[in-house]
Amino acid sequence: MLIVGAGPVGCALAVDLRLRGVRATIVERDEGISYDMRAMNNSMRTMEHLRQWGIAQRVRDCSRVPPEFRRDLVFCTALHGHELGVFRAYGFRPEDSRELASEPGAPMSQKYTARVLRSRAAELGCDVHTGWEFIEAEQAGDRVTALLSPTASRATSHRISASYLVGCDGGRSSVRAGAGIAMSGVGALGKHIHAVIGCPELLEDLSVSPGCFYVLFNPQVGGLVLPSDVDEFNLHLAGFEPDQEIGVEELAAKARLVIGRDVEVEIRRISPYLIHELTAETYRCGRILIAGDACHLFCPFGGFNMNTGIGDAANLGWKLAATLAGWGGERLLDSYTQERRPIALASCAAASANVKALVASIGAVLADGVPDGDAQADDEDRRRLGRRLYDDTYSEWNTHGIVLDQRYTNSHVIVDDGSSAPAWQVTNYVPLAKPGHRLPHAWLADDVSLYDRLGPGLTLIDCGAAPAEIEAFRSAASSRSVPLEVLTISDPQLAERYAAPLVLVRPDQHVAWRGTQPPDDLEGLIDVVRGAREPVAAASSELAAAGRLSER
């Protein structure tokens, strides 16, 4: 495997592949890890993937920010100003996420996540070559050959041949362009400014509550702040025109307004970026695939960009490994676009709605102001304003539908069971073991997640099936050389959560099929799930009929 791009998505894919025994090489045009990485929120789902890859706690341990600054959302006029309210967000508190996910979310500067993923890839034996730029690729037979040159000079070049090439090289992806994959949507809708700002006195004697995110509603400046270290914060400022510039002195003045004190600040990085609503029309062209920002670009509000890319890597990794191992069929890699592109489109729409709501709320405050007195009545007025602003921007901070309710319902490697599901919502998640959905999480013991017990291939969850039925599954999987593990659920209450005695789960923790009994053509079911058989409509499928829950 050749991966172009050593950012979080490229390294996540490499980690997943190496854990599955696949050789992987990464080439990266830059020498180090850039300050331009803007993500500030590892979602619950991303942290679940990091747990699967053995590094969730390592990522959390990167932060030097005190624990009380890793939980809540604070609306205020400045860090040393007036507080408008404290709210829950993103499943950051363990008590908010424990029943939904194996890991709480983590407010975290992307550079730390990137460092841990790159380190993990290297320790697993992945070769990471920095300072090399992708030029072009040629496909022939069962190989793809990439031409690479040193970033500083094209005086020399080198060719690498691989079974597959994956472009994780960002929004301006050279791999995507070289493969002729088009993007659809709208670009250059506006500009935001991301800045990394140093301040030695950042967290000292704050007049507002500790928070992981601070949303500034101030007549002079509005934006989003993440304390990324004890002496550093990330600042996002919205609402600039595409050609509008901001200088160091102007940004330093805004940073002091954000802090609320005339203190020393150091502008460590200014990273303006354009806002896009763009999604690749396909994620695959033969043996060339793309992932992460190479596939999709959307507004940053809601924290979907990197998190969606990590989900791409988790979806693609096992499919590439299965294909290379010989048990993945011809259609398995095609399902990558079928499953992940709708997720990107939903995230794009939600992110655009979020930024419009937040910019409108900031604009209203800039126009009307915030009560500035110290009287109790002024504080009560500010709290009411904060609640109104939170309600107006609710979908930005409560993204359980985007994060946990990712449904692969139109995939050719999912066999529907005919059951119904509530309409999908951005902010809400209802755990369902319906095929295509993420398997509802459960704890088997205090620190043992159900996900920890899933195998590297397919896993059959036995919620009370007959021994002969389990053996039939083992035999069918073995006949197709598909790795299958069986996880027995003996707790009746837990088994009830999955609504069927047999649940077939993929390596990415999504349900492939469930049923009351095995279908007569059990090998056919295995073939569909591994992408080796033409799918059939659920209404007429014997495979689906065996699992139709209305027959129970």
Side-chain angles (χ1 to χ4, degrees):
M1 279 297 310
L2 176 62
I3 299 168
V4 178
V9 175
C11 289
L13 178 60
V15 167
D16 193 87
L17 288 167
R18 288 300 301 133
L19 288 170
R20 301 181 191 283
V22 177
R23 291 178 55 196
T25 296
I26 304 176
V27 293
E28 165 60 46
R29 69 185 315 276
D30 294 330
E31 292 288 351
I33 293 177
S34 174
Y35 257 119
D36 286 343
M37 293 183 173
R38 307 179 188 104
M40 303 190 298
N41 164 18
N42 288 353
S43 71
M44 290 179 281
R45 188 64 178 135
T46 287
M47 294 305 295
E48 287 186 331
H49 294 313
L50 296 178
R51 180 189 181 104
Q52 185 179 18
W53 298 328
I55 51 175
Q57 191 56 48
R58 197 188 304 185
V59 168
R60 294 187 196 281
D61 291 344
C62 286
S63 179
R64 296 198 303 157
V65 175
E68 63 269 25
F69 286 89
R70 305 183 200 177
R71 293 193 296 255
D72 294 326
L73 173 72
V74 179
F75 285 11
C76 59
T77 59
L79 300 183
H80 295 275
H82 293 299
E83 184 173 292
L84 280 65
V86 180
F87 307 98
R88 302 289 182 91
Y90 295 130
F92 287 150
R93 283 180 171 264
E95 62 267 30
D96 291 345
S97 60
R98 184 167 177 81
E99 296 306 313
L100 299 175
S102 63
E103 290 282 340
M108 180 72 60
S109 176
Q110 182 178 341
K111 64 182 180 182
Y112 298 124
T113 305
R115 288 173 187 170
V116 173
L117 280 164
R118 188 176 297 189
S119 174
R120 179 64 166 150
E123 73 184 35
L124 289 170
C126 176
D127 294 324
V128 182
H129 300 284
T130 59
W132 286 87
E133 188 173 10
F134 171 85
I135 305 300
E136 63 184 15
E138 294 182 356
Q139 301 187 63
D142 61 354
R143 307 292 289 176
V144 56
T145 301
L147 177 65
L148 310 170
S149 288
T151 304
S153 170
R154 293 193 179 180
T156 62
S157 62
H158 184 69
R159 293 186 184 274
I160 294 182
S161 177
S163 297
Y164 291 93
L165 165 66
V166 183
C168 304
D169 51 339
R172 299 173 181 172
S173 172
S174 298
V175 174
R176 184 188 67 227
I181 297 175
M183 299 281 275
S184 59
V186 183
L189 295 171
K191 179 191 282 187
H192 290 187
I193 304 295
H194 168 247
V196 181
I197 299 171
C199 177
E201 305 170 27
L202 177 62
L203 303 181
E204 296 180 8
D205 302 322
L206 294 184
S207 59
V208 298
S209 299
C212 56
F213 287 127
Y214 292 90
V215 188
L216 278 295
F217 294 97
N218 184 309
Q220 296 173 291
V221 63
L224 184 64
V225 170
L226 167 77
S228 50
D229 209 329
V230 292
D231 61 352
E232 179 183 277
F233 65 94
N234 282 247
L235 174 63
H236 281 261
L237 299 173
F240 292 83
E241 294 299 322
D243 59 351
Q244 188 176 350
E245 302 293 335
I246 184 169
V248 172
E249 291 303 317
E250 182 183 357
L251 186 57
K254 288 184 179 294
R256 293 187 182 94
L257 289 171
V258 166
I259 295 168
R261 286 182 175 176
D262 188 12
V263 295
E264 176 187 352
V265 296
E266 175 191 359
I267 308 301
R268 296 177 178 172
R269 190 73 173 182
I270 303 177
S271 176
Y273 57 99
L274 296 175
I275 300 302
H276 306 289
E277 297 176 355
L278 296 169
T279 308
E281 293 183 356
T282 181
Y283 290 6
R284 182 189 183 193
C285 176
R287 290 184 172 268
I288 299 175
L289 302 103
I290 53 177
D293 286 357
C295 296
H296 39 71
L297 293 167
F298 23 83
C299 300
F301 285 69
F304 303 143
N305 285 282
M306 185 199 74
N307 289 307
T308 305
I310 296 294
D312 295 340
N315 183 284
L316 179 58
W318 76 269
K319 294 176 179 178
L320 284 167
T323 301
L324 291 170
W327 62 267
E330 292 294 325
R331 297 176 180 84
L332 188 59
L333 287 178
D334 287 337
S335 71
Y336 171 55
T337 298
Q338 294 170 355
E339 293 177 357
R340 294 304 300 172
R341 190 170 187 270
I343 304 302
L345 292 171
S347 298
C348 183
S352 296
N354 286 342
V355 74
K356 290 174 184 176
L358 185 60
V359 169
S361 296
I362 291 175
V365 171
L366 294 177
D368 301 336
V370 177
D372 194 38
D374 294 324
Q376 181 177 345
D378 294 314
D379 183 65
E380 291 173 352
D381 285 344
R382 285 191 292 268
R383 302 281 172 179
R384 279 192 289 271
L385 174 61
R387 170 51 67 176
R388 190 193 82 203
L389 293 168
Y390 178 75
D391 291 343
D392 289 346
T393 59
Y394 182 84
S395 64
E396 176 158 355
W397 324 114
N398 298 273
T399 57
H400 286 10
I402 290 282
V403 171
L404 299 177
D405 198 4
Q406 299 186 12
R407 307 178 181 184
Y408 300 155
T409 51
N410 295 317
S411 172
H412 289 172
V413 296
I414 298 291
V415 180
D416 193 16
D417 63 3
S419 63
S420 61
W424 183 85
Q425 298 179 25
V426 170
T427 60
N428 193 41
Y429 167 60
V430 177
L432 287 176
K434 179 178 171 61
H437 291 225
R438 167 181 164 270
L439 181 73
H441 175 258
W443 293 101
L444 302 181
D446 286 346
D447 296 316
V448 180
S449 165
L450 177 71
Y451 295 168
D452 298 339
R453 295 292 181 258
L454 299 180
L458 300 181
T459 299
L460 181 65
I461 299 182
D462 172 11
C463 297
E469 294 176 332
I470 301 300
E471 287 307 311
F473 263 95
R474 291 187 192 275
S475 177
S478 178
S479 73
R480 299 302 195 258
S481 299
V482 174
L484 176 74
E485 294 194 14
V486 176
L487 177 61
T488 300
I489 302 296
S490 54
D491 181 345
Q493 289 186 325
L494 180 55
E496 187 177 349
R497 177 177 298 190
Y498 303 110
L502 294 164
V503 183
L504 189 62
V505 184
R506 310 187 323 182
D508 59 0
Q509 301 158 357
H510 278 255
V511 177
W513 173 92
R514 69 173 171 178
T516 58
Q517 61 189 29
D520 292 338
D521 185 8
L522 193 44
E523 287 79 7
L525 169 62
I526 299 297
D527 284 344
V528 170
V529 171
R530 69 186 185 94
R533 172 174 167 173
E534 186 72 30
V536 291
S540 59
S541 171
E542 184 270 334
L543 301 180
R548 192 159 295 135
L549 300 186
S550 60
E551 295 180 357
R552 294 190 73 198

